[in-house]
């Protein structure tokens, strides 16, 4: 946690995208959600990430979402715009739109759908960085991209000033630890974990922040957790993290017999936000389905147990 | 090969997308390529597939490509338009554009980037089919989508009239065989293999056609192969297939030390087409690189050996 | 099908290992099964393969099985002995035992459990071949070993006389086709497909034989299929293959909710053999479970439909 | 770290197996290594694990290794015996031998080579536990077994008294965290991380110990790290862990062009132990190769930098 005030750090939730029951964007709910997160003290907003259903939204829907979040945040905290697209040219197109709308940083993955080579991934990030002059966050998410960004590749891109931060959703904490060591002398580089339930551990290891999907549901908890870590109060951090790890069991509410992992995660986050009165409706985008009544009741039980209802 | 004249069948190359050295669309080369394929006697054109670099093109580039191919084909053979996008809403958007431009059929994969459940994939194809009234081809390509479409799912969608054909690029010939048996009583359903080097074998097994990337390079060979199969001359079919399988070794020209499988395939198809004088330039889209001089010389050697230069 | 009479070819079932209900080896049933296969005209016997539950048997059980099969076959057809072990030293130990008992050839996979490098796999096969002077079959079974043997590696080992045959259970028919082309000038090399439902297709492509798990259940059908292929009667071959592909649906009898793929396959082969009166009991080894009453009834239905009961 | 004195806890290195250049067991070096570890203050010894090359040793070699370690440890710390075999019957056979030799606990994975179902894995561990009355450690190592043991399965086995500990080499720290929460009320259950470079983080999260391959090379460092964690001195723990994480880069010495991950790990541990004078020779078992001169020089450089030479 040697990040300078300028760099990305702290709690940066990947903002979910509220939809109406007809699956159009619910901008009023989105505004409420952004205010809810800002009031809790989050340090940044990651819009159009996996939790934001970016892969499910058309380009015009994405533009709407980005517009609303940038306008609502109004400069209080940095807004990171997901530019999640299959390859370089398409990422750059999204990045230019994000710049135009006023995003503070870009988030891009390696190419997907296509088969990729490390040399091509390197070329990809350099081309994106050269095309749009905004800080660039490399998003390492093998569960979606089916490639793990190597420590070597990320460290080189960081040292060359191509990427300013990494959002690590790889689940490979051992590699993340090595990346922390390899980038320790880069004062403006930020290493962010994407895993909700090991934040205390990764901040002890030297991470600068977290991008927790569950942070939509309990931003106050994640801010407390982050502050405990910064204060070096690791016992308090662990206790808060354990509470949040229990809360994370809302993602087990959806039946695996009929719901994918995407539905289980996004569906339960939305259900919890609807139960907490932050958003109006819990419908996810097609082809996902909303949680049913029983599943929603299970989410409610977990929220009550966690003191959030 | 009990397909009716109306249904999709025969040799349907996935048309590559020629680019200028600056990576803009080379429409003149694209027109020449389409004429080259039509003159060889192909039975359909699959535009904006994996070999067509659809994942590398912006939406406006995709529109251009589709426009050119539909206009050049001018109704001689059906044009199948790839609508390769992450999820349902985005596929439908592409499908509507394809319908407007005049495509004869749509080709869609299961959702990718997201995690998917069979029930969601089923919902996905049904929603696409309901949104746009064109024949729908399910494109089974686990190397890109990271999900295999099960025989059960495909057979059900076929029986329900949701999908009119399958393009099988799964490499799982045993499953493909079972699909052929399960759909044998559906007179208008077409099972197309996407694998260049087992066409004789799969047509013996009952497939209706092939979508061969290598068919860009040697469409005459694939038409001969298909005709030999239809005539029941399996010895001739095997001989032609063996020749084409040897030609397929152009995909080994690119060094695996610096090129991905996508580059190796698309790059070598383009290099061969440039060497044959069909397209002007062999550059693939970013982040791929063109084959270098040595690699191109190796492609040339293979073409000469195959009698194509 | 240019194999010399000396080389491995034709139908070589991977002999299942009958167990008593207490899961000890049922040698009487094993003898009956071997006679059943020989009487059907099979061209070889592969003992201690995946279908033979080799991974489930202790070394002394493996010795018993090998003893019984070698004694019962009595030189009528070659006996191939699976030496399926994690690494080189352990494979060699099994190979020496197989040689002592009188096996005619050895079957070995790449190392498993460990992580392997192609250079290590090459070293592995060479060390096994050097240690025991029997023909060596490379068994390519990525579903178990989690590594695909590359065409380059296999072709090199074949050309160097290290491996005399390949049993391809990779499901990658395109690679298998390339291997056939690469080894076409090796008169004593045998390429055997391990896939029950594409035998006509692979023999058309040039394979020399098949190692069909389902061949335990219907060896007569596989012998007919092989003979039709040899005679060039591809229409008859396809018809027989289609019948056998339908029979193969016995592997879908076991509920995927409680049974693995191993159980589904081995369990149903054993259930079918018990129903046909060839073996006394259908129990598989721990931790597999036998098919239950309903599942066994489904196997019976498929057998009746196929004319085997 | 609420483990009782009786339970497994602390630093439990997976003891490597020294070989002579001819690849026979070097029992004198093994004795020296065990004394080296005991003198450093480790809390247990895990023999015949992945780092111990168990998959490369014949059964009689395994017996020798276990004999030597049990005799040398002489009851000072518990000896955990790896019973790493493909399936239930084979594991039980190894477990009985371990019991006979005097091991204090057994370590078993899920079945491998075969395809497995969670219900079968459950049956597997219960059958092993029922057969041999020693504490049982479930070894979760998907990189070798190609199955991840689910939190649900492990928690159930722990609650039922079937497994007494878990060695987590899955790399999935988020799942490990959930397992810690699910087993927090089981006073005698031990959760051990197998990852060398996140020990501080996982002990903060509640783990009871670590099984570090690198602990062969620097057992004193791991004991210091563990003691700092127990004392709640997380800053000291992080500093020690960072030093050890840098030391871990010895595994990058072997060229990935010719060495597998297994060779890179085991080869470098052995090279470091030979350089430190603990064992006589660094040769690993076939088909692995020893590190070459340049690679060994790189290991030496890292050791010097870490203050170990």
């Amino acid at each position: 946690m040697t990040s300078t005030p300028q760099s990305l750090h702290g709690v940066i939730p990947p903002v979910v995208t509220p939809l109406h029951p007809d699956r159009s964007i619910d901008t009023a709910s989105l505004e409420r959600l952004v205010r809810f997160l800002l009031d809790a003290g989050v340090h940044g907003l990651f819009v159009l990430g996996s939790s934001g259903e970016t892969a499910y939204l058309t380009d015009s829907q994405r533009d709407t979402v980005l517009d609303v979040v940038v306008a609502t945040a109004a400069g209080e905290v940095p807004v990171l715009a997901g530019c999640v697209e299959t390859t370089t040219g398409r990422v750059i197109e999204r990045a230019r739109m994000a710049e135009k709308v006023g995003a503070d940083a870009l988030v891009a993955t390696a190419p997907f759908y296509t088969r990729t080579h490390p040399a091509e991934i390197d070329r990809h990030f350099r081309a994106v960085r050269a095309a749009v002059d905004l800080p660039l966050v490399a998003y390492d998410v093998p569960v979606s991209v089916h490639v793990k960004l190597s420590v070597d590749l990320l460290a080189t891109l960081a040292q060359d000033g191509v990427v300013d931060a990494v959002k690590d959703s790889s689940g490979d904490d051992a590699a993340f630890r090595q990346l922390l060591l390899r980038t320790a002398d880069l004062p403006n580089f930020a290493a962010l974990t994407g895993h909700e339930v090991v934040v205390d551990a990764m901040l002890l290891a030297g991470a600068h922040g977290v991008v927790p999907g569950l942070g939509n549901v309990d931003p106050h908890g994640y801010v407390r957790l982050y502050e405990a870590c910064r204060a070096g109060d690791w016992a308090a951090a662990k206790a808060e993290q354990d509470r949040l790890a229990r809360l994370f069991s809302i993602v087990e509410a959806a039946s695996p017999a009929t719901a994918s992992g995407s539905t289980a995660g996004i569906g339960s986050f939305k259900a919890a936000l609807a139960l907490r009165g932050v958003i109006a409706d819990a419908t996810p985008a097609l082809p996902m389905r909303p949680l049913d009544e029983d599943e929603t009741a299970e989410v409610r039980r977990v929220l009550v147990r966690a003191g959030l209802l």
Side-chain angles (χ1 to χ4, degrees), chain A:
Chain A
M1 276 169 308
T2 59
S3 67
T4 64
Q6 295 79 23
S7 68
L8 302 170
H9 71 278
V11 178
I12 307 174
V15 185
V16 305
T17 301
L19 302 179
H20 292 298
D22 71 355
R23 292 185 157 105
S24 59
I25 308 289
D26 177 355
T27 54
S29 285
L30 180 55
E31 285 171 18
R32 272 202 308 278
L33 172 58
V34 170
R35 282 275 22 119
F36 173 67
L37 298 173
L38 293 172
D39 292 349
V42 302
H43 307 83
L45 296 167
F46 173 30
V47 62
L48 298 175
S50 302
S51 294
E53 295 179 80
T54 189
Y56 298 88
L57 305 178
T58 63
D59 284 356
S60 73
Q61 289 179 312
R62 291 170 175 178
D63 296 346
T64 300
V65 168
L66 193 52
D67 261 339
V68 168
V69 174
V70 168
T72 311
E76 274 185 57
V77 300
V79 173
L80 294 69
C83 303
V84 174
E85 269 294 347
T86 44
T87 57
T88 314
R90 293 179 66 87
V91 171
I92 289 173
E93 202 174 59
R94 293 306 310 160
R96 289 192 172 129
M97 176 59 70
E99 184 184 36
K100 202 168 115 187
V101 172
D104 299 291
L106 308 172
V107 185
T109 68
F112 54 92
Y113 184 85
T114 70
R115 286 168 285 168
T116 50
H117 186 279
E120 293 172 350
I121 299 175
D122 182 272
R123 197 178 297 132
H124 171 75
F125 280 115
R126 289 178 196 273
V128 172
R129 189 65 185 80
V132 183
D133 192 24
L134 278 179
L136 179 58
V137 183
Y139 184 7
D140 191 15
V141 58
V143 72
S144 292
V145 171
H146 300 280
V147 164
K148 167 85 184 86
L149 301 177
S150 74
V151 172
D152 267 354
L153 175 65
L154 288 172
T156 300
L157 291 173
Q159 278 146 14
D160 292 354
V162 175
V163 304
D164 303 90
V166 167
K167 172 184 182 320
D168 177 62
S169 296
S170 74
D172 187 342
D173 289 346
F176 189 58
R177 182 67 168 254
Q178 297 291 2
L179 180 66
L180 290 169
L181 291 176
R182 290 279 294 276
T183 56
D185 58 342
L186 300 174
N188 290 311
F189 179 79
L192 311 170
T193 180
H195 291 286
E196 285 93 341
V197 302
V198 292
V199 180
D200 53 349
M202 290 306 104
L203 266 75
L204 172 62
H208 305 89
V210 58
V211 184
L214 188 65
N216 285 281
V217 177
D218 191 2
H220 303 83
Y222 277 97
V223 170
R224 279 194 302 270
L225 167 54
Y226 177 72
E227 294 303 336
C229 292
R230 281 192 70 88
D233 186 350
W234 298 105
K238 177 194 185 315
E240 185 68 42
Q241 178 64 88
D242 279 351
R243 193 187 63 80
L244 289 164
R246 288 196 186 90
L247 176 62
F248 193 60
S249 68
I250 58 173
V251 307
E252 294 162 22
S255 166
T258 55
S260 65
S262 294
T263 301
I266 294 167
S268 69
F269 295 162
K270 287 191 156 181
L273 282 167
L275 288 166
R276 295 199 74 187
V278 180
I279 68 174
D281 190 87
T283 304
L286 279 176
M288 295 188 286
R289 63 164 176 80
L291 269 55
D292 67 21
E293 210 172 307
D294 285 351
E295 295 167 340
T296 304
E298 172 60 18
V299 171
R300 177 191 291 275
R301 270 191 294 277
V302 177
L303 291 178
V304 168
R305 210 155 52 214
L308 296 182
L309 272 189

